[in-house]
Amino acid sequence: MLVIVASRHDKAAEALVANWAAHGHSVSLLTPEDLSVVGWRHYLSSIDVGDRGESTTSSTSFSSAVVGGVAISTTGCANALDQITGVLTRLPSIFEQELLHIVPDDRAYIATEMNAFLIAWLSSLKCPVLNRPTPTYLLGPAWRPEQWVYAAAQLGIPVRPVRRQSSMSANVCAQVLEKSSVKVTVVGDRCLGEVEKTLASHARRIADAAEVDLLTVHFSSSESPAEFLGADLWTDISAPDVGDAILEYLSGGDAKC
């Protein structure tokens, strides 16, 4: 089973689930609301706690999940979570605005707890996960623009410096963000975008530096020596080639760009 972790308002994720299902793939959407249902069990270590409170040696085979309304329970000695063969994460974190089924006073607390639970659960999965969470961000490293540019510069890639300014004046001009000329989407070893191979290689190296396999990288043009403008862990999955590449990655494909 493939799983897409996303907001219930994420229409692109919903469409991707429908597309993959139409082509015969087992796939489900996992939303923050789904984490509230009965049936979830996850242990941080190999120590299980029995009904009487005693600790015993265990394994992740005792963990269980409820995805798309379906309980993924232990079958014999098999690890229940092995039924999940790939995960695409579309949530940067759990927001309390997603938890309308929780009483208002408890939403912030529950969102924090769900976020910690989801980080631990996704980190424990042995299947391909795009991208694996970090302690502070479900999509991968929560780098600021300066950190992305610094990482690219350290790799010897031409970069466009990030500039910030502040003013005590009442007449502050709003910052105008430059629209990137081109973008390259990295999905595993595949690099999607109409750019020179050198830029595709740059994009993959930046993804390696961030230790992610799903990344959108922006350059000033499609030809070398284009400047690196920035990178984004939030990828447009509505593009058919991107969706196909993600499916191939999660299915164990190893196509090269």
Side-chain angles (χ1 to χ4, degrees):
M1 171 191 290
L2 301 175
V3 176
I4 299 180
V5 182
S7 164
R8 60 192 178 95
H9 304 294
D10 190 338
K11 297 302 181 184
E14 188 177 317
L16 199 61
V17 168
N19 182 39
W20 290 354
H23 287 81
H25 299 280
S26 175
V27 55
S28 292
L29 191 66
L30 175 63
T31 70
E33 193 172 17
D34 294 328
L35 295 174
S36 291
V37 302
V38 175
W40 283 90
R41 283 208 326 174
H42 175 64
Y43 297 99
L44 296 179
S45 66
S46 60
I47 304 300
D48 190 11
V49 180
D51 294 337
R52 297 179 180 179
E54 73 278 12
S55 297
T56 58
T57 301
S58 179
S59 71
T60 54
S61 63
F62 289 92
S63 295
S64 60
V66 184
V67 180
V70 178
I72 303 175
S73 56
T74 302
T75 302
C77 296
N79 185 348
L81 298 185
D82 284 347
Q83 296 178 47
I84 299 175
T85 56
V87 176
L88 169 63
T89 305
R90 295 272 296 166
L91 282 176
S93 64
I94 303 293
F95 300 106
E96 60 181 280
Q97 291 82 359
E98 292 270 353
L99 307 178
L100 299 181
H101 60 293
I102 304 294
V103 294
D105 289 346
D106 292 341
R107 284 176 190 165
Y109 170 77
I110 296 297
T112 301
E113 290 295 306
M114 282 186 173
N115 201 65
F117 176 86
L118 200 52
I119 288 173
W121 183 72
L122 289 171
S123 299
S124 73
L125 297 178
K126 298 177 181 178
C127 64
V129 177
L130 286 176
N131 286 314
R132 288 196 177 269
T134 61
T136 56
Y137 204 52
L138 287 174
L139 293 177
W143 287 0
R144 296 184 296 276
E146 292 87 348
Q147 290 174 289
W148 285 110
V149 170
Y150 176 79
Q154 292 299 300
L155 296 172
I157 298 171
V159 301
R160 178 80 54 85
V162 176
R163 292 186 173 86
R164 294 179 186 265
Q165 63 180 22
S166 60
S167 174
M168 299 297 291
S169 170
N171 299 320
V172 178
C173 297
Q175 182 180 8
V176 179
L177 298 178
E178 179 182 351
K179 185 178 180 181
S180 62
S181 296
V182 296
K183 65 180 180 181
V184 179
T185 300
V186 177
V187 184
D189 288 327
R190 301 190 62 177
C191 303
L192 308 173
E194 299 296 327
V195 297
E196 286 186 352
K197 286 188 176 181
T198 299
L199 298 183
S201 175
H202 288 345
R204 182 59 260 186
R205 292 171 62 205
I206 293 168
D208 287 339
E211 299 183 344
V212 298
D213 282 318
L214 181 61
L215 182 70
T216 297
V217 182
H218 303 274
F219 292 103
S220 58
S221 73
S222 60
E223 300 177 353
S224 298
E227 292 178 315
F228 170 82
L229 301 178
D232 195 347
L233 292 166
W234 178 266
T235 295
D236 180 11
I237 61 173
S238 63
D241 57 342
V242 174
D244 291 345
I246 291 173
L247 176 60
E248 186 172 3
Y249 178 93
L250 297 180
S251 302
D254 58 354
K256 307 293 183 182
C257 55

